[in-house]
Each structure stands twice: as C-alpha cells, then as structure tokens.
Amino acid sequence: MGTLNKHRLVVLISGRGSNLQAIIDSVQGGSINAEIAAVISNVNNAGGLQRAAHSGIETAVLEHTEFKSREIFDQNLIELIDKYNPGTVLLAGFMRILTPAFVSYYAGKLLNIHPSLLPKFQGLDTHRRALDANDAYHGCSVHFVTSELDGGPIIAQASVRVEPDDTAALLARRVLEKEHLLYPMVIGWVTDGRIRLVGSSVSLDGRELGPRGYQLKDDQHT
Ligand code: GRF
C-alpha cells in the first residue's frame, strides 16, 4: 500500500550495471524517492541482472538477437517496459541504438548517462578520444534521450581533470566514480518533480539550465 503512489523506474542495461548499483543504493538509502519496478537487459548474462536480483528487484531479458529488426525489437521492448508502468525509463549502459519510434514514445521520460562532457564525444570510446584530443577536462553527462545519438537536452554534467600520465582505463575509472554520483542525483531531482523539459530547454526548480546543464561542483572548471 505504502508504495502505491511511488514514482516507478525501469532501468535498461546491457552489462556490468555499476550505475544500476548506484541507483539501487540511492533508492535503498532514501535519496531517490522512487521504486525500481524492473531491470531489463538485452543481454542474458549481463552482470547487472545479478545485482538487481540480489536486491529483490524484478528482472527481465529481451534479447535483441531474437528479433528480425530494430523496429520489432523496440516495439516488444515498449510492451515489456509498459507492463511496469514507469514514470521514468533509465538507460544505464544500455548498448543499443533506439529507434525514433521508441524515443518519441518515451519523450521526456527517458534518460541516459554518457561518459563524456557532451556535446563532445558522442558514441563510443570516449575516454580514448578525450586523451587523443588533449582535453584538460573530461567527464560525464546525464541527458534526456532524443533520436540524435547522445544528443538530447543535457540535465547535468560532472567533470574530472585529465592528468598528464592518464590512460583511458584510469580516466574511465575516475569518470565512473562521477557517474555514480551524478546519475542518482539527477534521478532524485526527476522523481521529486524538480526537472522540467520544455522544447529542448531544461529547468531545475523553475530555473532554466544552460545548454550543458547543471555543473556538479567538484572539479568544476567553468
Ligand atoms: C557507463 O560508462 C555509462 O556512462 C555508459 O555505459 C557504461 C555503463 O557502465 N553509458 P555500467 O554497466 O553502469 O557499469
């Protein structure tokens, strides 16, 4: 009874699920006022499935390899997700490009975390690309998902300084620590109704955020 009106989250994963774990921890710790209705993976041995099961969260697997087309997979994914009646759908290391039909169906309620300071480095291999670009700062972004890959309105970013002796692996590890802070923080704002998306502009508590969203203070450089 007590959980009837809680904001419901569905989390989509493909892999180890460390961001999922950070979300689970924040829900359990009370800093995200929501319940995780289900964790859905397109890969049947994704590590995150164990994390969810360990916390008593319902899991489901929908393997994209079993569908003839991206469109059919996404339609089935919509049907599966909607069984859980989510207020927000979270991509957390979900390694599939989603069709415009899927993205527009969940417009305004679909979030992603991406390991770069968008709009830099959309797509894969972001840490290597930040090093190759000799960037002084790198980081992560949480954004609304639109049909442009990693291109939707940005809600918040966290940055780390790139050190002279950094490798892609070291950088990935430090960025991941920031991801685990940033994503739960933003999800908490969303589930508390503090974030609004109008067109492509995002506001927090009624104040419009800039094109790069809220900048998490630690290591801030602007
Ligand atoms: C993270 O780096 C996230 O930013 C990206 O995919 C990775 C997922 O890692 N979208 P995990 O499965 O959450 O550990």
Side-chain angles (χ1 to χ4, degrees), residues 18-54:
S18 71
N19 278 287
L20 167 66
Q21 188 66 58
I23 297 164
I24 292 172
D25 293 346
S26 296
V27 168
Q28 288 178 346
S31 59
I32 294 177
N33 184 23
E35 73 178 291
I36 303 175
V39 170
I40 298 174
S41 175
N42 65 317
V43 176
N44 70 9
N45 62 354
L49 290 169
Q50 268 80 57
R51 297 179 190 267
H54 185 74

Side-chain angles (χ1 to χ4, degrees), residues 77-79 81-82 86 89 101-110 145:
L77 187 56
I78 287 175
E79 283 162 24
I81 291 170
D82 281 359
V89 178
F102 182 99
V103 169
S104 60
Y105 183 80
Y106 291 112
K109 49 194 277 190
L110 182 61
V145 177

Side-chain angles (χ1 to χ4, degrees), residues 36 55 59 68 72 84 110 137 173 187:
I36 303 175
S55 295
T59 61
K68 280 208 176 76
I72 298 171
Y84 300 100
L110 182 61
Y137 289 90
R173 191 186 306 166
I187 295 162

Side-chain angles (χ1 to χ4, degrees), residues 15-20 92-95 112-115 176 179-180:
R16 70 189 156 183
S18 71
N19 278 287
L20 167 66
F94 186 68
M95 301 302 285
N112 183 40
I113 185 154
H114 180 75
L176 195 63
E179 293 183 34
H180 297 163

Side-chain angles (χ1 to χ4, degrees), residues 6 8 11 17 25 38 113 128 147 149 157 178:
K6 276 214 165 160
R8 294 166 65 81
V11 187
D25 293 346
I113 185 154
R128 164 60 43 209
S147 49
L149 179 68
Q157 296 183 322
K178 295 290 183 188

Side-chain angles (χ1 to χ4, degrees), residues 9 27 32 47 64 76 81 95-96 101 103 105 113 120 133 147 155 173-174 177 189-190 192 197 203 210 213 219:
L9 303 170
V27 168
I32 294 177
H64 61 273
N76 280 267
I81 291 170
M95 301 302 285
R96 294 286 301 165
V103 169
Y105 183 80
I113 185 154
K120 285 187 167 186
S147 49
I155 305 172
R173 191 186 306 166
R174 294 207 309 289
E177 283 173 18
W189 291 346
V190 168
D192 286 344
L197 174 66
S203 58
D219 275 330

